[in-house]
Amino acid sequence: MAHWAKVLQRLEIDSAMQSQWDWWHEHAEDIPLALFYDLKFVAANDAALAYFGCLSNEIIDTAIYDFSPRLQLDGHSSIEQARKLFEEAELAPQTQQWLHLHRNGKELPTRLSLYPVSLDNKPMILARFEPLNRRARPRQEQERNREFDAIPRSVLANILEESAEAVAITDEQHHIIAVNKALCRLTGYSPAQLVGESLSLLDVAGDIHLKECQLALAERDFWQGEVLRQRADGKQFPAWQNSRRFNNEQGGNYLVTIFSDISSRKQLEARLTTQAMYDSLTGLPNRRHMKQLLRAALDEHAQRTDARLGALMFMDLNGFKHVNDCFGHSMGDMILQMVAARLEAGCIEKADIARMGGDEFTLIITDCHDKKEVLRFAEQIMTLFDTPFELQGQKFYLGTSIGISLFGQEPISATVLLSQADTAMYVAKQSADHIMFYDTSMSEEAEHRLKLLGDLRHALSLGQFSLYYQPIVNLSDGTLLGAEALLRWQKTRHELLEAVDFVPLLEEAGLIVTVGNWVLEQACIQAARWREQQSPDFVISVNVSPLQLEHLDFIGQIEKVLLNTKLPPAALMLEITESALLHHPQQARATLAKIRQMGIKVAIDDFGTGFSSLSRLGNMPIDSLKIDGEFARELYHRRGQQLCQAIVQLSQALELHFVAEGIETNKQKEMLLAMGEGSAQGFLFGYPLHPNEFAMAHFHPAASTQICN
């Protein structure tokens, strides 16, 4: 009792338990209380020891389910139920009816209350055992005992003989006295072969649970748990065993051992574990399993005294979305299986590989000498993607981006490490070599990006978006033909962002269709106004994202805008990128055909920077090619001139109009004019301007004269 009193003084409890705690102190000898760590008794008061009929040394370090039947009254396993209950008690107090067992085997219906406490800064569970229906139990047990006494011994013997569970009864020397039919069926022995032999005939050498059983029986006369049993043919099987020692009136001891084959249950548990811990598509560890492996690696490094490094690599496949979009998810799944197989073949001996989901994989490596060794390993992984993946007669060239977070230098959690590697991977996708080690600046950039994304969600409703217009002119005489509408975001009073800085975020947030429709409507309203007041032939060019083009209501949206603004279809030019043609080429062709049937012009924007197929380009219903500004900057070099000339000739061969972007000097203008007739756009002809400023600069006679010159 003195030991328990000292334990109570050291316990730290939640303030909400204080009044109850004080009452327990006053009645310390009457209330069965015990302290648990990891489901095992750490300490118990005298009332708890009396409740279970044990001495202190018999109960310490035993588990709570050692004093419980195999199954609770609701049919659930005592072990699994206890683990779940104690896990929940770590977060908040729990109360549940529980069936305990006294040392002599009598059942103890109990109201079990569990409370989270702390002992010397170590989290533990305090348990209170409250007997249920205490007054009625003695009478009920007496009546039950009398009922069993009234049953003929032959009936009880037959019940034992016909039991579905294997039963063996041994004497004090552990020699078998009797066995039932189920035991013979399970083990393959006959009764004649077993009776008189030691029960160890069924034991499996080296089974650590047998030693545990022997110690428990010596201390408290009963034990239950999982063991290995051996059949007559030498085959082994897992069994759930209950062992209980009984004393007869003559002072003799008998041991009753009951067990059942749990092979099917173990196989089911193994299947469920596999499903819970491994990816069903690739067979690799899944995200949950990977976190366990990572925590284990971090714990191992925390114990090391050398300066070795570990690393978590976060991989994302480059180009995989295109495979899914063009060839379907079944083909994509087969590619993922091939990637997993290639990773396993290339580095399974050096790393723990896992699939996080989608086209994301992780690798955990340990025992590296330095950062250079980690980099070499990452470069080795990159080489695995040099060879294309061949499937159903197709060759798929995929790459990968790898973000790396190191550990071993200072303590770090698995969650933080994973977040760092993910952040580094995102940065790696934008880098040249697609390998990036994490540093703190990336987190700052990621936080900034996250805040930007949050602000962007409200930009449209707050009226922060606006359109600027850049002129498009005739190359030969500088005549104003129209303008391109360019989206701007007035994020703050002094911060105006260009579309390139936030359109990818709009696509990521799923806002691009909504904002794109707004841009289309505002541009058409402005174009209709200018056509009516300034230039009857003015044509407005509007950029369209691939997601807009794929949207089912896109054609309907265009028709609605043209109807509301009274803008003629011929006054609208829709600019699409080459990538929009690659995602769903047949759908894109059908949509563009409908747009052209309406009388609307279509241009391929930033031509020359993508991967358009010439045969596909020739079949596409388009009107113009907008030559990317990068080619204009290369016009001062012979190679650049040749490329630009080739694009102009291509447009002429396909009977397409061309618009040269990025023209900043008269020399560039003259060089392009010598290649062929077309249109141009760039700072030489005008900067992107607010509508009022655009009108003043380009519809004023003086401004027109300046442009021509």
Side-chain angles (χ1 to χ4, degrees), residues 370-479:
D370 50 32
K371 187 176 178 179
K372 290 182 179 179
E373 184 177 350
V374 177
L375 179 59
R376 286 195 297 270
F377 185 73
E379 291 171 342
Q380 177 186 336
I381 294 172
M382 299 292 285
T383 62
L384 297 177
F385 293 85
D386 290 344
T387 305
F389 295 87
E390 296 190 32
L391 193 63
Q392 297 181 3
Q394 297 272 358
K395 289 186 178 181
F396 298 94
Y397 290 87
L398 298 178
T400 184
S401 298
I402 304 176
I404 307 171
S405 184
L406 302 175
F407 61 88
Q409 299 167 324
E410 57 186 31
I412 188 171
S413 70
T415 302
V416 172
L417 195 69
L418 183 59
S419 176
Q420 291 179 353
D422 189 13
T423 300
M425 184 276 294
Y426 182 83
V427 178
K429 292 184 80 69
Q430 320 301 323
S431 69
D433 58 2
H434 295 288
I435 298 176
M436 192 65 63
F437 285 89
Y438 171 83
D439 63 54
T440 53
S441 64
M442 294 179 184
S443 289
E444 295 171 1
E445 183 180 341
E447 290 175 9
H448 171 72
R449 182 172 171 275
L450 189 62
K451 186 179 184 306
L452 198 66
L453 191 58
D455 294 340
L456 197 58
R457 293 183 184 278
H458 306 288
L460 185 59
S461 61
L462 294 175
Q464 294 177 341
F465 288 134
S466 61
L467 294 183
Y468 278 47
Y469 298 87
Q470 186 173 28
I472 299 175
V473 303
N474 190 306
L475 256 179
S476 59
D477 58 12
T479 304

Side-chain angles (χ1 to χ4, degrees), residues 605-665:
D605 194 17
D606 300 330
F607 185 79
T609 60
F611 304 97
S612 293
S613 163
L614 293 182
S615 60
R616 183 178 295 169
L617 188 66
N619 294 325
M620 280 291 174
I622 58 177
D623 301 278
S624 302
L625 298 180
K626 293 195 73 174
I627 304 173
D628 188 71
E630 184 65 30
F631 292 96
R633 287 187 284 274
E634 295 295 323
L635 279 173
Y636 299 105
H637 306 288
R638 179 175 175 79
R639 184 65 172 172
Q641 294 174 18
Q642 292 173 336
L643 287 173
C644 205
Q645 179 71 66
I647 295 176
V648 171
Q649 290 175 347
L650 174 64
S651 68
Q652 294 169 343
L654 296 176
E655 298 181 350
L656 300 175
H657 183 74
F658 77 84
V659 181
E661 297 180 299
I663 306 303
E664 299 180 356
T665 67

Side-chain angles (χ1 to χ4, degrees), residues 4 25 31 80 103 135 144 169 186 209 270 283 296 371 406 429 457 465 467 470 473 529 538 549 555 608 615 662 685:
W4 178 253
H25 267 287
I31 304 170
E80 295 175 2
R103 179 180 176 180
R135 293 181 179 177
R144 185 180 65 183
I169 302 175
L186 277 179
H209 299 98
K371 187 176 178 179
L406 302 175
K429 292 184 80 69
R457 293 183 184 278
F465 288 134
L467 294 183
Q470 186 173 28
V473 303
R529 185 178 297 131
F538 188 88
L549 194 65
I555 299 296
S615 60
F685 311 107

